[in-house]
Amino acid sequence: MESQRIILHVDLNSFFATAEQQANPKLRGKPVGIIKATGRTCLIATSVEAKKLGIKTGMSVHEAKKNYAKIILVPADFDKYEDITFRFINICKTYSPVCEVFSLDECFIDITESERLFGGFLNIAFEIKERLRSEVGEWMSCSIGISHNRLLAKLGGSLVKYDGLIYIDKKSVFEVLDKCELTGVLGLGHGLGRHLGTLGIDNFPKLRNCPLPYLISNFGPFWGPHLYNLARGIDGSPVNSFHSLADAKSVGRTYTTHRNLYKKEEIERLIRNLCEEAAAKARRMKMAGRYVGIALRGAENHFWRHITLKHYLDDGRDLFDICLRLTETWRGEYVRFCGITLSMLTKKEYLPTPLLSSDLRREKLIDAMDKVNLVWGDYAVYPAQLLGTNIIRPEVNGYFGDKTFRLNFLRSSG
Ligand SMILES: [Mg+2]
């Protein structure tokens, strides 16, 4: 039986706007919209007061002004936000070293081992709220979800709004799930949501009625079981501590483009290109990873999403698929920079060989491609998606971040 864990999901309320209100008391209690420093077209965040007037993140300034003409527009200041995040995480870390920074305004804390030292989980939750006010700023507030896994902690937190707190025990799991929207759940992008929609599955009870083989045949061997578990509030994924993430080996590639990329296909090809390189690096190290991260940057637009998967991958196409899902919420105008990370790497030999014949065939194909590329040079063969583009090749210096590794590899494979 799964041992009972206790996980907190802490989420700062309306973070960017609240941070501005914290810094400038004149903004407090007023509808505030945060805009990019340049290209002031849409709101990247809104204050609690603006939300009450129906002004949402992503709205154009024009639309927002129709709702409330006197909305105060403030340019984003990421240095300020990162400073607050740093202080916020430092508070959270004192309750357990197993603290995962999920985004600038969210973290997961696994307090299973440390809970008793601090007088129980409720005490920890109230202390975090209090210390946020006393140590970061009196205007700061957060919502906290507490449960036995990450999925439920995060979902719970999303149900309580401003300054909320919720504890979900095992008995109330279905009741809570059925109050949540299926879309917007951790790791489920719009694409998957649409696919579910076409099958008539638009809420948790309907998803729970789907047998596992049905889900696998429609969504494949990864998303099928994932959805099956999701419907039941089952999530065994660990909270990744600060330290373990930093220690974990990773491969990746960042690239700054020579011009702004506006077209979806261009951006996707760039992502695919970098995914192929990161995955090829992992394969040459005879490793596979299950932590995928992607960063996109346009003007002032910092976009960073990541996911910890339950299975390991080393195929550029799989990596690309995950990255596409992670970028579904990206609303930038154009891309100037892209970074891909594959980490939490483990040795391929530790992993089971694929069961499905289609997966085996795919692995053999990739293996053959790697062999050709080793002899004829990187990207002698490449996915058709990259046809007709200027392929970005691995940088000669810092290949793998470790040249001796490549030399050793060439020797051992000769
Ligand atoms: Mg938040």
Side-chain angles (χ1 to χ4, degrees):
M1 209 188 93
E2 187 194 351
S3 67
Q4 177 89 20
R5 294 183 295 159
I6 304 173
I7 290 167
L8 260 61
H9 175 256
V10 189
D11 184 353
L12 299 177
N13 298 125
S14 302
F15 179 43
F16 296 168
T18 308
E20 295 300 340
Q21 291 174 324
Q22 175 58 45
N24 179 0
K26 284 183 189 149
L27 300 175
R28 295 181 190 176
K30 291 178 186 158
V32 173
I34 306 296
I35 50 172
K36 287 189 274 180
T38 56
R40 312 173 165 223
T41 47
C42 66
L43 304 179
I44 60 168
T46 56
S47 69
V48 178
E49 299 81 5
K51 287 190 179 99
K52 281 182 191 154
L53 297 168
I55 300 169
K56 291 181 198 140
T57 301
M59 262 190 181
S60 70
V61 169
H62 181 73
E63 270 178 281
K65 282 190 172 165
K66 268 196 243 165
N67 277 23
Y68 185 70
K70 284 189 283 179
I71 182 164
I72 304 168
L73 301 175
V74 180
D77 175 359
F78 284 94
D79 290 340
K80 189 184 286 159
Y81 311 148
E82 276 169 18
D83 173 60
I84 292 181
T85 299
F86 181 75
R87 288 189 283 153
F88 159 57
I89 297 301
N90 270 341
I91 292 174
C92 294
K93 270 199 313 190
T94 58
Y95 297 96
S96 164
V98 193
C99 174
E100 178 180 339
V101 183
F102 195 67
S103 70
L104 278 181
D105 67 335
E106 287 173 76
C107 72
F108 288 99
I109 322 170
D110 187 331
I111 53 166
T112 313
E113 303 295 333
S114 54
E115 191 215 356
R116 267 173 290 169
L117 300 174
F118 298 99
F121 58 82
L122 278 181
N123 216 28
I124 292 178
F126 284 123
E127 256 188 56
I128 289 173
K129 281 170 177 287
E130 202 181 287
R131 287 182 61 190
L132 190 63
R133 287 198 169 92
S134 62
E135 294 172 33
V136 180
E138 71 273 22
W139 198 254
M140 302 304 297
S141 68
C142 64
S143 292
I144 302 182
I146 310 169
S147 194
H148 54 274
N149 67 38
R150 292 165 58 114
L151 171 71
L152 293 166
K154 179 154 165 94
L155 276 178
S158 72
L159 285 180
V160 290
K161 290 295 176 201
Y162 178 75
D163 203 11
L165 175 64
I166 188 172
Y167 169 61
I168 302 165
D169 62 8
K170 290 206 163 164
K171 276 175 280 177
S172 47
V173 171
F174 286 5
E175 192 189 318
V176 169
L177 285 178
D178 295 351
K179 279 194 189 114
C180 295
E181 299 255 354
L182 193 49
T183 50
V185 164
L186 198 67
L188 288 195
H190 292 300
L192 203 60
R194 264 201 305 276
H195 191 170
L196 284 164
T198 59
L199 297 169
I201 305 163
D202 55 8
N203 60 33
F204 272 94
K206 283 183 194 165
L207 183 60
R208 212 175 295 127
N209 275 329
C210 297
L212 182 58
Y214 173 81
L215 291 173
I216 291 177
S217 72
N218 279 287
F219 298 95
F222 170 65
W223 290 104
H226 184 86
L227 288 168
Y228 184 84
N229 287 331
L230 178 71
R232 289 156 184 78
I234 299 168
D235 175 19
S237 62
V239 174
N240 303 300
S241 71
F242 241 35
H243 306 288
S244 74
L245 252 191
D247 292 345
K249 289 199 178 81
S250 71
V251 287
R253 175 73 149 106
T254 59
Y255 190 78
T256 304
T257 60
H258 303 296
R259 58 185 176 86
N260 300 339
L261 302 182
Y262 291 92
K263 284 193 197 137
K264 189 164 175 273
E265 308 86 74
E266 282 185 314
I267 296 167
E268 287 184 359
R269 278 201 292 260
L270 170 65
I271 296 174
R272 178 71 191 257
N273 196 155
L274 302 182
C275 284
E276 287 296 327
E277 183 178 327
K281 283 179 189 171
R283 290 197 299 275
R284 284 187 198 171
M285 293 161 74
K286 296 193 184 344
M287 297 191 107
R290 65 184 188 90
Y291 174 96
V292 177
I294 179 164
L296 290 178
R297 231 152 272 164
E300 265 65 53
N301 189 7
H302 290 238
F303 182 90
W304 162 245
R305 291 284 183 284
H306 61 90
I307 187 170
T308 306
L309 306 165
K310 292 197 180 78
H311 69 306
Y312 287 86
L313 59 85
D314 66 350
D315 180 343
R317 189 182 65 181
D318 294 345
L319 184 57
F320 173 70
D321 286 343
I322 303 287
C323 286
L324 272 197
R325 290 196 198 288
L326 291 176
T327 52
E328 273 168 355
T329 53
W330 179 74
R331 293 286 175 268
E333 208 184 329
Y334 62 87
V335 164
R336 194 65 205 243
F337 168 93
C338 178
I340 305 283
T341 307
L342 176 64
S343 67
M344 294 177 76
L345 297 178
T346 195
K347 286 189 181 156
K348 202 79 193 288
E349 62 186 296
Y350 297 160
L351 301 173
T353 41
L355 286 174
L356 301 171
S357 60
S358 58
D359 289 347
L360 263 177
R361 271 201 306 279
R362 175 87 192 154
E363 212 170 86
K364 279 186 188 150
L365 171 71
I366 291 169
D367 209 39
M369 281 174 53
D370 284 345
K371 280 187 182 132
V372 172
N373 286 335
L374 188 65
V375 176
W376 296 98
D378 297 307
Y379 292 99
V381 275
Y382 54 80
Q385 189 178 11
L386 300 179
L387 209 63
T389 54
N390 279 326
I391 285 180
I392 301 159
R393 289 164 198 284
E395 283 171 320
V396 178
N397 58 349
Y399 205 97
F400 303 138
D402 180 3
K403 271 184 249 176
T404 51
F405 176 80
R406 186 171 205 193
L407 288 175
N408 287 336
F409 172 76
L410 289 171
R411 270 186 218 119
S412 65
S413 65

